[in-house]
Each structure stands twice: as structure tokens, then as C-alpha cells.
């Protein structure tokens, strides 16, 4: 089974996911538990990572595409070339948590060496340091350049936790 990206109207991703699931598709909207600062404390709140996009797991056939279009109306699969869309790469599917059962992603833990170079210790950004364009330590956000089918690139905000000596950094 491959994963494809469907473009939906922003704000209707979860409705589109429910509609696709009722039609028999494995549809997901990647979310994360993002750290937010509220009333002097850090809490985690669930956020949609890619507003306006739904991931669909299927073995693509033209009939599947017609079922999606009948179900959602003017649905558009990204990376459409000729008769078939381009599936996302396995590495990208792992970034969005599509290899595991549906659940919100947890914030990645990032530590910095003496020169300020970041290293991801755990979480969905593990091994993706080269895709991180910026880290805002104060807001606990990492900005990641993600590739979608059809050559479209998106800058996506991920929540992060900065490692301290007790969380796995050097003492």
C-alpha cells in the first residue's frame, strides 16, 4: 500500500478524513501534541501539522480515484501525472507518522552541542536535521522543509522539547 496526498479545503481535513473512512479508505490527518505556553506553564495541545491536506493509504487504481472524487466532489490528489498520482516516499510517510497506528505525534527532543549545532535525540524529526531550517528555542518550534508529491515544498512547524542534562544531554 502506498500513501497519497489529497488537497482539501483548509479547516475541512477531518471532515474529509471521516468521509473517506466511511467510503472504505485508510485516511489520516497528521497531528501533533505541540507544546504551548499558557498561564505560566507548558502544556501540550493537539494541532494539525499540514492544514489543507489528507493522506490516503491505498493501492491506486483509476476506480479508486473515481470513488474519491464521487465521495468528496472536487478532490485533487497531488503529483498527478497522466493517469496516476505520485505516492509519497517511505521516509516522508514516516515523518507524518503514517507507518504507525493513527495517533498524534509527540514533540521531538533536540539537544545542542557546545557549538550550538542541533541533534534530534528522539521523535518524528530523528535523522532529519538537514531538513530543519530554523529552531525557535523560546517558542519550542522547529521549522522543517517537507516535500510533497508534484514538487511542492511546505515549511511545517513541529513542536520540540529542548533536552537538558536530565533528559539525555551531556552532564
Amino acid at each position: 500500500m502506498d500513501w497519497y496526498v489529497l488537497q482539501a479545503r483548509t479547516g475541512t481535513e477531518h471532515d474529509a478524513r471521516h468521509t473517506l473512512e466511511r467510503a472504505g479508505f485508510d485516511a489520516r490527518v497528521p497531528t501533533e501534541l505541540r507544546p504551548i505556553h499558557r498561564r505560566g506553564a507548558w502544556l501540550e495541545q493537539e494541532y494539525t501539522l499540514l492544514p489543507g491536506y489528507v493522506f490516503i493509504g491505498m493501492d491506486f487504481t483509476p476506480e479508486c480515484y473515481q470513488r474519491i472524487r464521487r465521495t468528496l466532489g472536487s478532490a485533487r490528489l497531488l503529483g498527478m501525472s497522466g493517469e496516476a498520482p505520485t505516492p509519497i516516499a517511505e521516509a516522508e510517510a514516516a515523518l507524518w507518522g503514517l507507518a504507525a497506528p493513527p495517533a498524534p505525534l509527540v514533540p521531538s527532543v533536540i539537544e545542542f552541542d557546545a557549538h550550538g549545532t542541533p541533534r534530534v535525540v528522539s521523535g518524528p524529526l530523528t535523522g532529519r536535521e538537514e531538513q530543519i531550517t530554523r529552531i525557535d528555542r523560546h517558542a519550542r518550534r522547529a521549522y522543517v522543509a517537507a516535500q510533497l508529491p508534484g514538487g511542492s515544498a511546505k515549511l511545517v512547524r513541529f513542536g520540540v522539547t529542548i533536552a537538558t542534562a536530565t533528559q539525555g544531554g551531556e552532564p
Side-chain angles (χ1 to χ4, degrees):
M1 174 174 76
D2 290 320
W3 288 95
Y4 298 89
V5 182
L6 176 88
Q7 191 170 24
R9 282 195 343 233
T10 302
T12 65
E13 307 88 6
H14 293 283
D15 295 335
R17 178 180 60 87
H18 289 299
T19 303
L20 288 165
E21 286 174 343
R22 282 194 305 271
F25 290 99
D26 185 1
R28 308 225 188 134
V29 176
T31 60
E32 74 165 340
L33 295 174
R34 185 176 294 168
I36 58 166
H37 196 257
R38 186 172 289 151
R39 294 187 179 152
W42 283 97
L43 310 168
E44 289 184 342
Q45 185 170 338
E46 191 170 344
Y47 281 90
T48 300
L49 281 171
L50 273 174
Y53 297 95
V54 179
F55 291 82
I56 303 173
M58 65 179 163
D59 294 319
F60 182 83
T61 63
E63 294 78 27
C64 283
Y65 183 55
Q66 291 308 316
R67 267 183 44 215
I68 292 169
R69 289 188 60 96
R70 278 193 306 274
T71 303
L72 294 177
S74 61
R76 177 176 165 244
L77 288 171
L78 295 187
M80 202 67 158
S81 58
E83 295 292 316
T86 306
I88 63 172
E90 281 186 42
E92 289 298 309
L95 173 64
W96 306 115
L98 301 174
L105 299 173
V106 296
S108 294
V109 177
I110 297 179
E111 68 181 10
F112 293 88
D113 65 12
H115 304 290
T117 306
R119 183 176 75 84
V120 181
V121 178
S122 66
L125 300 179
T126 303
R128 296 179 180 276
E129 288 84 358
E130 71 280 350
Q131 286 180 269
I132 298 173
T133 59
R134 182 169 68 97
I135 296 174
D136 184 342
R137 292 183 195 201
H138 178 72
R140 297 186 184 180
R141 304 280 185 274
Y143 296 83
V144 177
Q147 279 296 106
L148 295 176
S152 44
K154 289 280 183 191
L155 192 61
V156 183
R157 279 187 305 192
F158 281 85
V160 297
T161 301
I162 307 302
T164 60
T166 59
Q167 289 177 312
E170 295 290 320

